[in-house]
Amino acid sequence: MADRVLVIGSGGREHALAWKLAQSPHVKQVLVAPGNAGTADNGKISNSAVLVSNHTILAQFCKDHNIGLVVVGPEALLGAGIVDDLMSAGVRCFGPSAKAAQLETNTSFAKAFLDCHRIPTARWKAFANPQEACSYITSTDFPALVIKASGQAARKEIIVAASKEEACRAVQEILQDKVFGEAGETVVIEELLEGEELSCLCFTDGVTVAPMPLVQAHKRLMDGDQGPNTGGMGAYCPAPQIPEALLEKIKDSILQHIVDGLRQEGATYVGVLQTGLMRTKDDVKILNFNCHFGDPQCQVILPLLKNDFYEVIQATIDGKLCSCMPAWSENRTAVSVVMASEGYPGDYAKGMEVTGLLQAKELGVKVFHAGTTLQDDKVVTDGGRVLTVTAIKEDLMSALEEASKGVAAIRFKGAIYRKDIGYRAIAFLQQSVGLIHGDVSVDAITSSALIDQSEPPTATGGRSGSHGELAGSTDLFDLKASGYDDPILVSRTKGIGTKLQIAQMCKKHDTIGQDLVAMCVNDILAQGAEPLFFLNYFACGKLDAEVSQAVIAGIAEACKKAGCALLGRETVEMPGMYSPGEYDLAGFAVGAVERGQMFLQLARVAEGDVIIGLASSGIHSHGFSLVRKILLMSSLHYLSPVPGGCGDQPLGELLLTPTKIYSKALLPVLRSGHVKSFAPITGGGLLESIPRILPESCSVILDAYNWRIPEIFSWLQTKGNLSEEEMARTFNCGIGAVLMADQELAQQVLKDVQRHEEAWLIGNIVPSHTGSSHVKVKNLLKALQLNRSQFLQNAADVDSHLHVEPQKSKVKVAVLISGTGTNLAALIAYAKEPASCAQIVLVISNKSGVEELRNAARAGIPTRVVDHKLYGSRSEFDCTIDRVLEEFSVELICLAGFMRILSSAFIRKWNGKILNICPSLLPSVKGGNAHKQVLQAGVKVTGCTVHFVLEEANTGAIILQEPVSVNTDDTEETLLERVKEAECRAFPIALQLVASGVVRLEADGKTCWKQATQSLTHHEKQDWVSSTTKL
């Protein structure tokens, strides 16, 4: 039984789609909505006035009219989820899901996807601020001259500037003068690539990729690629410039890689994928995506398809493309020439009569209508690009001549068109120039240029034996020059772990290098060895010279403290492996000890020996996974002031206090012969580090009253509600290393150590008993309690009421944004914390191309664009949002700078599940211009409020408030910035409270705290909330 098919769109592409589908015997009618003059009552093809923006109405129309297949043209509808909605309603639809269509509708997602999968693309960055954009243009070391208004409706608004000055003017016009309206709220600045630009299309069912012949389109308005950019003034197919071997590489390394990557990310791509490629002198790079046939690519490539187009589409939808691979006409070339209205791509007149269409048809060319309509039974112009004239011949020259004849036969006032379509291929064929391509894939870049920018000279540390300057690509160390007779070499390799992530969050990079050196060097000391030299490895996604220089300078300084040479290093840039701002470190240390002076001779340790403890500087480098969990549950941030009694610096800075290096202080003591063994306290804390230097027959008893415990450990124990054993098994608890000495020599050893380090006699060696622990720490909990300030005691009392049961699974959260001024980054950072009760599974924006979508994509979070301009009512828009939320099984919604008013029906459905943040202290200040109101009223304290969203605007049950003092010299701008900082702290805390079940919305519209907190007074609750925000 033959099908009815609906093609959605009104351009030349849609006419070509309808024309090709109508050739199938399986199709009895093709409706085009809304169509044009060329698709109006043309054999099997006719137009339809069905409303395509309302997917519910459209689905019912298809069922009522027995539509068996829908083919979607415009990208806006794909991005709005039309395929998802029709397929879920039982209507077969050809095209990608909204999630997969983000390759086109969300430039930030596409770029992040390419970066993640290491697929080459032009360097780029998005901006909403014209000054920042111009600064980027003028400061880059590559030509950042491609300016794109990144809104979905402005995909053709691309300016290729001739100079940096022209690029900056374009930025000003788009962002400041708003020449492209709302579509120009954000611009993307791209590197201008040089080479051959081509379009590579394929059919795919999500697994199989079936490439089409390469197409080259001409986007400039005038001959010679002059004039403004357009949607396309013509094209030819196949493009002869690419050799067969490179075509195979494009299929396997680009097209298949993209399809496989999307499938792995849960966004199986079904439909036609068009990639814009630039073949540079070095490689093939992706410029952009179309998630459908492009225009005029469609008009030039479909005439070459030999298969039944309808059958190929059905096989693609059914996942059986491998059984119906498309075939293409051989020894045939197609050329398409676009005829446009005078004034295009700017303003142009409409209603100009078009004549000569019959004569063109008699010449054998195919004329696809675009911007045309019927008026009094006459075809008149109704758009910028009016017609596409396509000719198919044996070779390119013949096809171009035929197309030119067809264009000459058609007349309308002010018609403009290019006469040189295919000139690049003609020049290529005439000159018979072969293009050589390099089969190079660069995953990691290491260069002397990077090292020169970021690292100090080699062989720092000033010790004998180091000859880094002699090595060239290797590093030398003369062991004999160091004075050893019969040495044993001792080595250690370490990374930093979670502490490195905290350093990156705090943007403090100058001390983390000491942790790396200390961990290696202190372990070497356990063998009695002297550290000789150190090598480091620094890897990043994008080199930041200032950051890398701070890190390496810290390593160099630490090597001086350790008395070893910084002999070698590797700096590696790995795009796609690490996100911007992320880096990783590894270190390798080598030491030496004379053969007869090695430690770790367990037989020397005996009952009655004394344990000497050396003070730690703080947490050192282990236990930070638990620190992060405690930090999250305490609702603190790394930039918060240190809690009471622990110091006057930011908490993050205190946590990052570097690990102590003991080598210079201890080497003379270790070589004295008075010390039996030495061990740094590392992973496993006191309970697991000390047994490494104990014989099986011995145990250790420590008394925590005998040493000073830094206050930070008391705070961690209190906030984490940790047991004595958990503390001793995770942290050093104030002891950075231990020495073991004979009882008679212990006092002398202690005095020798105390000349350089704070140290104490902390315990003794005792006989070990079967089944008992090798280390017992007496009075640890009591000693920790002695350090508690009254503040910590109060906090602990409240926390005991707020015990939260462990979550079996994290609550799924969606964040709704509009692109500017959101707290999305803070919410993403919070959700990554191990103890977070929430998981951000989706970010929805009502505007495309915004920076926050890119940030979400980089964090691996799915994104959707639901453009409110495509919907006729607020409720219709909200229904679409609701369907997307249900698709991702969302349980909570955060409004982070979302600038649309939600309908009452939506709020009622999600009652108690929508969180919003207001830049004022509700209910005292409501409405817009909160900061202006505060300053005008002379208010001394403002702040932000996180609340449940209720139907009445600017009201809601308050979850959390954070106050911000108003300074006498505050302006709206300065106050705005401080309130924003408060928002970034408060919103994640509030989300944690709701996701964990501590706070919920009652049926009466009031906030309710967990039952276990009911014994708290209102004042006590406010004290607890206040304490969490102030810390």
Side-chain angles (χ1 to χ4, degrees):
M1 180 178 176
D3 257 348
R4 283 192 173 94
V5 178
L6 174 65
V7 175
I8 297 178
S10 62
R13 168 183 54 217
E14 286 73 33
H15 188 180
L17 292 169
W19 166 77
K20 194 66 177 177
L21 283 164
Q23 295 174 4
S24 171
H26 303 294
V27 175
K28 69 177 180 180
Q29 184 182 17
V30 180
L31 299 177
V32 187
N36 53 46
T39 56
D41 299 321
N42 183 1
K44 288 184 179 181
I45 305 171
S46 59
N47 291 338
S48 170
V50 62
L51 180 64
V52 297
S53 63
N54 189 311
H55 302 172
T56 303
I57 293 174
L58 180 62
Q60 191 60 50
F61 171 87
C62 292
K63 293 176 180 180
D64 293 343
H65 292 79
N66 297 317
I67 302 296
L69 173 67
V70 177
V71 180
V72 183
E75 70 272 9
L77 291 172
L78 294 170
I82 189 171
V83 175
D84 311 68
D85 294 338
L86 292 182
M87 292 289 279
S88 64
V91 178
R92 289 175 71 81
C93 188
F94 181 63
S97 66
K99 191 174 182 181
Q102 288 181 103
L103 281 180
E104 178 175 8
T105 61
N106 184 345
T107 304
S108 301
F109 170 87
K111 288 289 188 177
F113 175 86
L114 292 173
D115 290 345
C116 177
H117 293 275
R118 301 183 188 177
I119 301 171
T121 186
R123 289 172 283 186
W124 71 290
K125 196 169 183 180
F127 296 94
N129 182 290
Q131 288 74 34
E132 292 177 2
C134 288
S135 175
Y136 177 77
I137 291 169
T138 56
S139 63
T140 55
D141 58 358
F142 56 86
L145 301 177
V146 180
I147 317 299
K148 296 181 178 179
S150 62
Q152 189 179 100
R155 291 188 57 81
K156 309 303 184 289
E157 306 296 3
I158 302 173
I159 298 171
V160 181
S163 64
K164 292 184 177 182
E165 292 75 16
E166 184 180 329
C168 286
R169 285 196 300 273
V171 165
Q172 294 290 338
E173 290 173 356
I174 296 172
L175 291 179
Q176 195 162 299
D177 300 340
K178 301 295 183 184
V179 294
F180 298 142
E182 289 187 9
E185 289 185 0
T186 305
V187 296
V188 170
I189 314 295
E190 277 191 6
E191 173 186 12
L192 178 62
L193 299 176
E194 293 184 359
E196 201 80 31
E197 184 174 350
L198 300 157
S199 297
C200 184
L201 295 86
C202 68
F203 292 101
T204 178
D205 58 7
V207 177
T208 301
V209 170
M212 306 181 199
L214 281 178
V215 179
Q216 184 166 67
H218 296 258
K219 296 183 179 178
R220 294 285 189 168
L221 181 66
M222 298 182 290
D223 289 352
D225 286 333
Q226 300 298 309
N229 241 11
T230 71
M233 293 300 294
Y236 62 93
C237 178
Q241 298 95 318
I242 305 299
E244 193 65 33
L246 184 53
L247 287 174
E248 283 299 313
K249 180 184 175 183
I250 291 170
K251 174 184 178 293
D252 296 335
S253 301
I254 295 181
L255 298 178
Q256 190 70 57
H257 197 173
I258 291 167
V259 170
D260 291 345
L262 286 169
R263 186 177 67 253
Q264 292 162 9
E265 294 185 10
T268 300
Y269 193 106
V270 177
V272 169
L273 177 62
Q274 175 176 306
T275 57
L277 304 177
M278 178 68 79
R279 189 189 178 192
T280 68
K281 61 181 180 180
D282 301 317
D283 205 351
V284 175
K285 296 186 177 182
I286 288 188
L287 296 177
N288 51 49
F289 291 102
N290 283 74
C291 290
H292 50 109
F293 281 104
D295 185 339
Q297 288 88 342
C298 183
Q299 297 94 299
V300 78
I301 203 169
L302 274 185
L304 299 177
L305 178 63
K306 294 168 65 176
N307 303 61
D308 185 314
F309 186 35
Y310 176 87
E311 291 179 356
V312 173
I313 288 176
Q314 295 289 8
T316 302
I317 295 174
D318 292 335
K320 300 177 180 179
L321 181 58
C322 60
S323 64
C324 187
M325 294 293 281
W328 304 93
S329 298
E330 298 178 0
N331 302 318
R332 305 287 283 179
T333 297
V335 172
S336 291
V337 179
V338 172
M339 302 183 71
S341 297
E342 185 177 16
Y344 174 78
D347 296 333
Y348 48 82
K350 297 181 180 181
M352 305 299 169
E353 184 179 357
V354 180
T355 61
L357 294 170
L358 182 59
Q359 292 87 328
K361 182 179 179 180
E362 290 173 350
L363 290 172
V365 298
K366 179 59 188 174
V367 180
F368 296 111
H369 289 240
T372 64
T373 189
L374 292 173
Q375 186 175 307
D376 298 329
D377 294 327
K378 296 179 180 179
V379 176
V380 299
T381 63
D382 194 42
R385 290 188 294 171
V386 179
L387 303 166
T388 302
V389 179
T390 300
I392 301 96
K393 286 291 182 180
E394 299 80 14
D395 56 62
L396 180 61
M397 288 297 295
S398 301
L400 179 57
E401 290 175 6
E402 194 80 3
S404 298
K405 292 177 182 177
V407 169
I410 300 170
R411 297 279 192 275
F412 60 89
K413 184 178 180 181
I416 55 174
Y417 54 90
R418 285 183 59 160
K419 303 176 182 64
D420 66 342
I421 302 301
Y423 79 94
R424 290 180 180 272
I426 292 170
F428 171 83
L429 293 171
Q430 288 176 341
Q431 296 174 14
S432 299
V433 177
L435 298 179
I436 302 174
H437 70 282
D439 201 14
V440 179
S441 176
V442 180
D443 291 329
I445 304 168
T446 62
S447 71
S448 59
L450 298 180
I451 295 171
D452 291 343
Q453 290 176 14
S454 63
E455 300 186 15
T458 57
T460 61
R463 68 159 297 122
S464 58
S466 58
H467 292 290
E469 70 276 6
L470 303 177
S473 60
T474 59
D475 302 294
L476 306 180
F477 190 91
D478 186 348
L479 192 59
K480 187 175 182 181
S482 294
Y484 286 91
D485 296 323
D486 186 19
I488 295 291
L489 294 181
V490 182
S491 66
R492 191 65 165 132
T493 301
K494 297 288 284 187
I496 294 179
T498 306
K499 190 173 185 178
L500 182 62
Q501 296 176 341
I502 295 177
Q504 292 166 10
M505 291 177 187
C506 296
K507 300 188 182 334
K508 183 172 174 57
H509 313 285
D510 57 337
T511 59
I512 201 73
Q514 178 168 326
D515 290 289
L516 188 65
V517 174
M519 285 191 292
C520 293
V521 166
N522 290 342
D523 279 356
I524 284 174
L525 279 177
Q527 290 287 357
E530 173 191 16
L532 300 177
F533 60 85
F534 187 85
L535 304 97
N536 74 271
Y537 174 85
F538 180 98
C540 60
K542 175 67 176 176
L543 185 72
D544 183 322
E546 185 176 345
V547 170
S548 59
Q549 189 170 12
V551 172
I552 305 303
I555 292 174
E557 183 62 29
C559 285
K560 291 179 182 178
K561 292 180 181 180
C564 65
L566 175 53
L567 190 61
R569 62 240 176 266
E570 181 83 343
T571 301
V572 182
E573 199 174 44
M574 292 192 287
M577 182 68 72
Y578 299 99
S579 300
E582 289 185 355
Y583 60 86
D584 201 2
L585 283 175
F588 178 77
V590 174
V593 60
E594 293 290 0
R595 192 176 300 271
Q597 297 177 358
M598 289 184 65
F599 272 17
L600 209 58
Q601 298 174 13
L602 301 185
R604 297 178 62 197
V605 178
E607 179 184 348
D609 287 347
V610 175
I611 309 299
I612 298 171
L614 282 73
S616 69
S617 57
I619 301 173
H620 282 188
S621 300
H622 296 87
F624 275 90
S625 293
L626 182 55
V627 170
R628 289 178 66 189
K629 178 179 179 181
I630 294 170
L631 193 63
L632 179 64
M633 295 311 296
S634 71
S635 304
L636 293 185
H637 191 272
Y638 296 116
L639 297 180
S640 302
V642 170
C646 298
D648 57 359
Q649 61 192 139
L651 179 57
E653 190 173 318
L654 178 67
L655 295 174
L656 291 172
T657 302
T659 306
K660 275 194 174 184
I661 298 173
Y662 296 109
S663 55
K664 279 191 173 181
L666 289 187
L667 268 174
V669 179
L670 297 179
R671 288 174 172 175
S672 69
H674 298 160
V675 177
K676 293 186 175 183
S677 60
F678 164 82
I681 307 303
T682 57
L686 295 168
L687 298 188
E688 295 183 17
S689 297
I690 297 175
R692 295 167 191 155
I693 56 172
L694 285 176
E696 194 63 32
S697 61
C698 293
S699 294
V700 167
I701 295 180
L702 307 179
D703 190 341
Y705 280 148
N706 290 341
W707 74 86
R708 180 185 60 81
I709 301 179
E711 291 86 349
I712 186 65
F713 293 107
S714 298
W715 181 83
L716 288 169
Q717 188 275 325
T718 300
K719 280 298 180 184
N721 193 25
L722 302 179
S723 68
E724 199 168 52
E725 182 182 358
E726 286 173 319
M727 287 296 299
R729 194 174 296 281
T730 306
F731 300 112
N732 64 58
C733 298
I735 299 298
V738 294
L739 299 169
M740 295 184 185
D742 189 85
Q743 187 172 7
E744 289 75 20
L745 299 173
Q747 285 294 339
Q748 182 59 50
V749 172
L750 178 63
K751 289 179 181 178
D752 292 340
V753 172
Q754 286 177 335
R755 293 190 180 99
H756 307 281
E757 295 287 345
E758 188 177 10
W760 311 270
L761 300 177
I762 63 171
N764 299 93
I765 302 294
V766 297
S768 178
H769 299 288
T770 304
S772 64
S773 172
H774 278 283
V775 178
K776 180 179 180 181
V777 186
K778 299 191 302 182
N779 302 314
L780 179 57
L781 200 56
K782 293 179 181 178
L784 289 165
Q785 290 170 347
L786 288 176
N787 285 329
R788 292 178 181 175
S789 66
Q790 187 61 40
F791 171 84
L792 290 173
Q793 291 174 357
N794 292 340
D797 291 340
V798 176
D799 280 348
S800 67
H801 291 284
L802 297 178
H803 176 66
V804 179
E805 296 297 328
Q807 294 271 316
K808 292 183 178 179
S809 61
K810 294 191 175 186
V811 174
K812 295 181 179 180
V813 178
V815 183
L816 273 56
I817 65 172
S818 290
T820 57
T822 78
N823 305 286
L824 179 61
L827 293 172
I828 291 174
Y830 146 75
K832 288 182 177 180
E833 295 289 343
S836 166
C837 295
Q839 176 190 6
I840 299 178
V841 298
L842 175 66
V843 173
I844 299 178
S845 174
N846 65 305
K847 296 181 181 179
S848 63
V850 297
E851 183 68 17
E852 282 72 15
L853 289 173
R854 180 182 174 221
N855 293 337
R858 286 194 179 281
I861 300 170
T863 63
R864 283 284 187 88
V865 176
V866 182
D867 191 342
H868 61 279
K869 297 190 293 293
L870 296 176
Y871 300 89
S873 66
R874 188 194 305 171
S875 59
E876 185 182 345
F877 171 71
D878 287 355
C879 285
T880 303
I881 295 281
D882 186 59
R883 284 196 297 271
V884 177
L885 295 173
E886 290 182 348
E887 176 188 346
F888 286 83
S889 302
V890 169
E891 298 167 272
L892 279 178
I893 302 168
C894 289
L895 306 182
F898 187 63
M899 305 306 292
R900 306 300 300 172
I901 298 175
L902 297 170
S903 64
S904 295
F906 184 92
I907 295 172
R908 284 194 298 271
K909 176 176 179 179
W910 291 90
N911 185 47
K913 304 297 183 183
I914 309 175
L915 280 61
N916 185 40
I917 190 160
C918 176
S920 64
L921 294 177
L922 296 178
S924 58
V925 179
K926 296 182 180 180
N929 300 317
H931 307 308
K932 184 177 181 180
Q933 291 183 54
V934 165
L935 293 174
Q936 288 178 344
V939 175
K940 299 301 182 184
V941 178
T942 183
C944 63
T945 303
V946 187
H947 61 91
F948 289 108
V949 175
L950 303 180
E951 289 187 57
E952 184 181 347
N954 290 317
T955 65
I958 293 173
I959 302 167
L960 185 68
Q961 291 184 311
E962 177 161 349
V964 174
S965 298
V966 181
N967 300 330
T968 54
D969 59 348
D970 262 330
T971 63
E972 288 184 46
E973 291 74 21
T974 59
L975 190 57
L976 169 66
E977 288 305 312
R978 294 211 313 285
V979 172
K980 278 184 178 179
E981 292 173 3
E983 289 179 4
C984 290
R985 293 190 296 269
F987 212 164
I989 296 169
L991 178 55
Q992 176 76 350
L993 290 172
V994 176
S996 64
V998 170
V999 175
R1000 68 178 186 272
L1001 183 68
E1002 288 283 76
D1004 60 1
K1006 295 181 180 179
T1007 303
C1008 176
W1009 288 61
K1010 191 175 179 67
Q1011 186 175 1
T1013 71
Q1014 294 306 309
S1015 59
L1016 291 176
T1017 67
H1018 174 76
H1019 179 70
E1020 287 173 327
K1021 290 178 183 177
Q1022 291 305 311
D1023 283 348
W1024 182 82
V1025 171
S1026 177
S1027 70
T1028 63
T1029 58
K1030 288 179 180 177
L1031 292 178

